[in-house]
Amino acid sequence: MENPSAQVFDVIVIGAGVMGSSTAYQTAKRGLKTLLLEQFDFLHHRGSSHGESRTIRSTYPEEYYPGMVMESSRLWEELEAEIGYKVYFKTTQFDMGPSDNKSLQAVVSSCRNNSIPFRVLDGDEVLKEYSGLFQLPEGWIGVATRDGGVLKPTKAVAMFQTLALRHGAVLKDGTEVVNIEKDRENGEIVVFATESGRFRSRKCVITVGSWTKALIEKVRGLTIPIQPLETSVIYWKINPGHEDKFTIENGFPTFASYGDPYIYGTPSLEFPGLIKIPVHGGRACEPNERSWASAPETVSALRDWIRGRFGDAIDWDKPVLTQSCMYSMTPDEDFVIDFLGGEFGEDAVVAGGFSGHGFKMAPVVGRIAAEMVASGVADGVDLTYFRIARFEGNFPGNFKDFGDQVKLS
């Protein structure tokens, strides 16, 4: 194979997490000569795209996400058919919280306005619906929808990379990008990497997760408010005799609990006899400076919640397994998907700030980014909410009439 540094690519994708790998697949599938670069090893555990499960749900307070989720759901199934194995395991979704919680009220409104079938359940109806497992406090309601599920993250990233290779992409890991410049003589984009020299392309897509802010400041002198957070994925032991109740096969849903803190979970799938129940939140950090440990206050909040919802079905005394992960947070918890601008104009695209809820939408984000570099226009999605310019003179970004979902510790 020709040395990548001696070639001029149609597209260089920087960052081989789920978003970059999805983008590389989409650009290569369109016949664009594609190079995918990763600073660490492929399938590493230092970013946001590793692990054994992510939820997929269409229940969002924001009305502009459900359509993206539904497209992604269809694309995940198409990808499975192309690769020949499963990464997407369907179940239902169950949201719960105080009946007056603004975010949960917005979820109901969003379902209605996006024609997503849903049912609002009181405490007794929830007990009947889920065989007595979810015990709601006084004044709480549940919202049941059919579109939930579990995605296998590391397996999904490997799938995108394998399919990108099949379509002719070049993949190179251990390649840290330190700068990007525009060659004023020929208009090419020059990507500089430590020890690997430089790579050239007509277009570029930057999908570097928690490293986005630092790289964009270096490249354009532009500050995009994307804050890395260290979060913990936490597993708890299901008590003997209750294991089968928490499986997809027996109808257990993916779920989210609105309030302070926002707690979510998935059916028992990846580790037999264990269930994943974390807090949707974390600690601000630098991506290369992490504790790799769970905050004691997070574990304490989860213990109380698990005991209140599941009683003795789950051993709430202490978790049995924790894994560190990263969020790349914007102030409004919305994505950044936009052209880089400046001297790069529409030749470079930034996709970042996925704020702990973007993984499920990787297929559609990759499709959007590929269309932006291929033709300058992405079909079917209003990118107004994802523009960089929303932060200019307005640090909070998009206005929302409900509280933040992510808890900062």
Side-chain angles (χ1 to χ4, degrees):
M1 180 183 296
E2 184 182 354
N3 185 341
S5 62
Q7 303 178 58
V8 178
F9 292 87
D10 295 319
V11 183
I12 294 177
V13 181
I14 303 170
V18 72
M19 300 304 180
S21 298
S22 173
T23 300
Y25 159 69
Q26 290 283 352
T27 55
K29 188 173 73 168
R30 286 166 169 74
L32 300 176
K33 190 176 182 180
T34 300
L35 172 65
L36 175 63
L37 299 176
E38 168 56 49
Q39 65 173 324
F40 304 119
D41 288 339
F42 289 132
L43 307 182
H44 64 84
H45 283 220
R46 297 177 64 172
S48 308
S49 297
H50 61 280
E52 294 301 318
S53 65
R54 296 288 190 280
T55 60
I56 181 167
R57 58 183 169 86
S58 58
T59 50
Y60 266 88
E62 300 90 349
E63 295 190 5
Y64 38 90
Y65 285 121
M68 296 175 68
V69 176
M70 299 309 290
E71 180 183 350
S72 281
S73 180
R74 175 178 55 79
L75 292 175
W76 282 117
E77 294 184 278
E78 291 180 4
L79 288 156
E80 288 180 325
E82 185 174 354
I83 195 68
Y85 55 74
K86 286 185 68 63
V87 299
Y88 175 20
F89 298 82
K90 289 187 173 183
T91 186
T92 57
Q93 169 70 19
F94 178 62
D95 297 281
M96 70 196 95
S99 60
D100 61 354
N101 181 276
K102 284 190 173 183
S103 294
L104 189 55
Q105 291 175 345
V107 165
V108 172
S109 176
S110 176
C111 286
R112 185 177 293 114
N113 293 336
N114 280 283
S115 300
I116 296 170
F118 69 95
R119 290 175 294 128
V120 176
L121 309 175
D122 63 24
D124 290 339
E125 291 169 326
V126 168
L127 285 172
K128 182 177 179 181
E129 181 84 11
Y130 297 106
S131 304
L133 287 177
F134 288 103
Q135 302 167 37
L136 299 192
E138 186 74 23
W140 278 40
I141 59 170
V143 180
T145 53
R146 66 188 182 196
D147 298 315
V150 179
L151 298 162
K152 303 283 280 182
T154 301
K155 193 177 180 183
V157 176
M159 174 190 70
F160 282 122
Q161 292 174 1
T162 300
L163 292 176
L165 281 166
R166 285 187 189 175
H167 288 283
V170 177
L171 278 62
K172 184 173 175 59
D173 63 359
T175 306
E176 181 184 1
V177 171
V178 294
N179 203 2
I180 309 168
E181 295 180 359
K182 192 75 176 286
D183 189 325
R184 301 193 181 198
E185 291 186 5
N186 58 22
E188 292 175 354
I189 289 177
V190 186
V191 176
F192 296 86
T194 55
E195 300 180 2
S196 299
R198 62 190 68 182
F199 306 92
R200 290 180 170 267
S201 65
R202 296 188 304 104
K203 301 290 180 74
C204 176
V205 182
I206 301 167
T207 58
V208 294
S210 294
W211 291 263
T212 301
K213 181 180 178 182
L215 183 58
I216 299 304
E217 285 180 343
K218 176 72 178 292
V219 170
R220 255 214 70 192
L222 175 68
T223 299
I224 304 176
I226 297 177
Q227 173 63 55
L229 294 187
E230 182 179 16
T231 188
S232 295
V233 176
I234 302 177
Y235 290 86
W236 307 78
K237 183 172 178 56
I238 303 168
N239 281 326
H242 298 280
E243 294 91 345
D244 289 345
K245 300 175 184 177
F246 291 93
T247 63
I248 288 176
E249 292 78 10
N250 285 317
F252 192 76
T254 48
F255 62 88
S257 177
Y258 286 79
D260 185 14
Y262 178 112
I263 292 169
Y264 69 99
T266 60
S268 179
L269 178 65
E270 53 264 43
F271 301 114
L274 303 186
I275 184 169
K276 185 177 86 172
I277 307 176
V279 166
H280 189 38
R283 298 181 294 256
C285 69
E286 291 304 315
N288 295 324
E289 300 173 5
R290 294 160 61 179
S291 70
W292 301 92
S294 300
E297 59 271 23
T298 296
V299 174
S300 178
L302 284 166
R303 289 179 62 203
D304 293 342
W305 187 92
I306 292 169
R307 179 169 51 181
R309 299 299 80 74
F310 296 118
D312 293 330
I314 294 175
D315 183 356
W316 44 262
D317 183 50
K318 60 182 178 181
V320 295
L321 178 65
T322 63
Q323 298 174 336
S324 178
C325 193
M326 296 291 292
Y327 286 177
S328 50
M329 297 297 305
T330 60
D332 53 18
E333 302 180 19
D334 286 327
F335 307 160
V336 171
I337 307 174
D338 202 356
F339 295 111
L340 182 55
E343 66 176 326
F344 296 93
E346 296 189 355
D347 290 337
V349 170
V350 180
F354 292 101
S355 301
H357 67 96
F359 193 100
K360 65 181 74 66
M361 288 178 258
V364 72
V365 171
R367 191 267 296 172
I368 290 168
E371 290 182 358
M372 289 173 73
V373 295
S375 64
V377 179
D379 292 333
V381 176
D382 182 1
L383 297 180
T384 303
Y385 299 101
F386 308 140
R387 301 294 186 196
I388 296 171
R390 73 183 191 267
F391 298 116
E392 294 177 4
N394 175 43
F395 179 79
N398 296 320
F399 171 77
K400 300 183 184 183
D401 190 25
F402 47 83
D404 294 337
Q405 303 306 302
V406 174
K407 181 179 177 62
L408 303 180
S409 57

